[in-house]
């Protein structure tokens, strides 16, 4: 199979490209090398695939690259919470307009297999149950509650305590940041393309991905990278809220494998979202503590507060990925975080914190 991988110099895209080649497939690698994620030097893992440095928003470039391609693995995106609302045009341009240009080029060239990198951020808050009212969408967290250290959301009907549950793919979608809104828009665009063309799309909703080649020292980096940079500098990881917010941390090698499984599986009917997770929920505090221990660094410091786009708990239901793609994570939390303490990371991006 010949696969166009967009964002192929990136944290996840590069791992997908490597795994495809290792399994005997051909790859066409494209990346714009956005300064928010990349340093000034082309990464070795990108060079090895005879890459094309270019923009997914360039329709003429795409027409040439898609010739002879069997499938597209669309990883290219501007990622992260963003700095402030002034980032919105860039997110929409790179993530949404870029996806629209790609889908149009796929239609022109007759390529009908797509695996789309989506994200858990489309859910907003995770799934919650109330003892009296069953599954509910929690009431918004109030600034006064956060300031007082009351971080858990409450039932919108009775204001009672809620229990965090696993989020299935059919949960309501409520993006809380510009990035999240752009990822949901990508899904909508791909779903419309699928309905118009009859093509199938796997939309892989990544949960908290970490591992080698993760970008560092950028305001767009993930929490594992931020914690590691602090520890490498002799500083304790700073943990927001009380550290008990639950996430699903999934190793990048498992995410790459999920992509290859989706690329080689039978095409679905329409767009089918799939959680890509470890199935082993942990708290953000667990991550900080485990990484500090692995790096023999200072213990985490819980600082309270919360960022505007943060949610309390998002833990994934892994059932659909197992059933439809035969995917089950292989890297345990302890093994993955221990390795992450010394994993090679991407050189600092041009944009620095």
């Amino acid at each position: 199979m010949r696969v166009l991988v967009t964002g192929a110099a990136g944290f996840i895209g590069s791992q997908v490209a490597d795994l495809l080649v290792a399994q005997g497939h051909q790859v066409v690698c494209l990346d714009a090398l956005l300064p928010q994620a990349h340093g000034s030097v082309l990464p070795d893992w990108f060079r090895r695939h005879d890459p094309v440095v270019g923009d997914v928003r360039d329709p003429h470039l795409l027409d040439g690259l898609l010739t002879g391609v069997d499938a597209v693995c669309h990883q290219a995106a501007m990622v992260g919470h963003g700095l402030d609302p002034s980032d919105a045009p860039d997110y929409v341009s790179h993530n949404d307009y870029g996806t629209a240009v790609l889908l149009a080029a796929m239609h022109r060239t007759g390529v009908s297999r797509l695996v789309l990198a989506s994200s858990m951020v489309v859910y907003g808050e995770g799934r919650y149950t109330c003892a009296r009212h069953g599954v509910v969408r929690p009431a918004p967290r109030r600034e006064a509650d956060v300031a007082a250290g009351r971080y858990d959301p409450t039932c919108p009907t009775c204001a009672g305590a809620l229990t965090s549950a696993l989020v299935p793919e059919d949960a309501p979608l409520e993006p809380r940041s510009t990035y999240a809104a752009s990822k949901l828009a990508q899904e909508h665009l791909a779903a419309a393309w699928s309905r118009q063309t009859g093509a199938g799309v796997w939309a892989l909703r990544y949960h908290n991905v970490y591992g080698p080649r993760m970008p560092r020292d950028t305001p767009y980096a993930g929490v594992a990278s931020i914690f590691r940079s602090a520890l490498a500098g002799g500083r304790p990881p700073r943990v927001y809220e009380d550290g008990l917010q639950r996430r699903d941390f999934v190793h990048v090698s498992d995410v790459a494998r999920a992509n290859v499984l989706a690329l080689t599986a039978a095409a679905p009917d329409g767009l089918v979202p799939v959680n890509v997770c470890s199935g082993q929920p942990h708290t953000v505090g667990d991550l900080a503590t485990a990484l500090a221990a692995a790096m023999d660094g200072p213990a985490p410091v819980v600082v309270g507060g919360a960022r505007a786009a943060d949610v309390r708990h998002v833990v994934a239901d892994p059932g659909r990925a197992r059933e439809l793609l035969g995917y089950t994570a292989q890297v345990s939390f302890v093994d993955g975080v221990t390795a992450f303490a010394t994993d090679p990371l991407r050189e600092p991006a041009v944009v620095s914190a």
Side-chain angles (χ1 to χ4, degrees), residues 45-69:
W45 56 77
F46 190 44
R47 293 177 185 274
R48 71 184 59 154
H49 297 302
D50 191 21
V52 175
V53 177
D55 199 317
V56 74
R57 297 170 296 180
D58 182 343
H60 302 295
L61 174 64
L62 290 178
D63 285 347
L65 294 179
L66 286 166
T67 301
V69 160

Side-chain angles (χ1 to χ4, degrees), residues 9 32 48 87 112 133 151 158 160 173 197 203 214 235 268 344:
R48 71 184 59 154
D87 280 335
S112 59
H133 299 102
Y151 300 111
C158 67
L173 305 180
T197 64
M214 199 171 188
R235 304 182 305 276

Side-chain angles (χ1 to χ4, degrees), residues 4-8 10-17 19-20 72-80 114-124 167 169 179-180 183-184 186-187 201-210 214 247-263 272-279 311 314-318 321 325 327:
L4 171 63
V5 180
T6 70
F11 171 39
I12 297 172
S14 66
Q15 306 270 359
V16 174
L19 186 57
L20 282 167
V72 174
C73 187
H74 184 32
Q75 306 292 320
M78 184 173 167
V79 302
L114 175 64
V115 173
L116 172 68
S118 187
S119 172
M120 64 169 223
V121 295
V122 300
Y123 296 120
V167 182
E169 288 84 353
Y179 169 64
K183 296 306 288 184
L184 182 54
Q186 283 185 308
E187 287 197 20
V201 181
W202 295 107
L204 304 185
R205 291 176 179 167
Y206 304 154
H207 285 253
N208 288 72
V209 188
Y210 71 99
M214 199 171 188
R247 298 289 188 269
D248 188 306
F249 298 99
V250 57
H251 196 267
V252 68
S253 64
D254 283 324
V255 174
R257 193 163 48 82
N259 274 273
V260 175
L261 287 169
L263 285 163
V272 176
V274 178
N275 286 327
V276 175
C277 60
S278 72
V311 297
V314 187
V315 293
D317 185 339
L325 298 178
Y327 164 83

Side-chain angles (χ1 to χ4, degrees), residues 286-302:
D286 289 340
L287 174 66
T289 299
L291 193 56
M295 296 181 68
D296 195 24
V301 174
V302 176

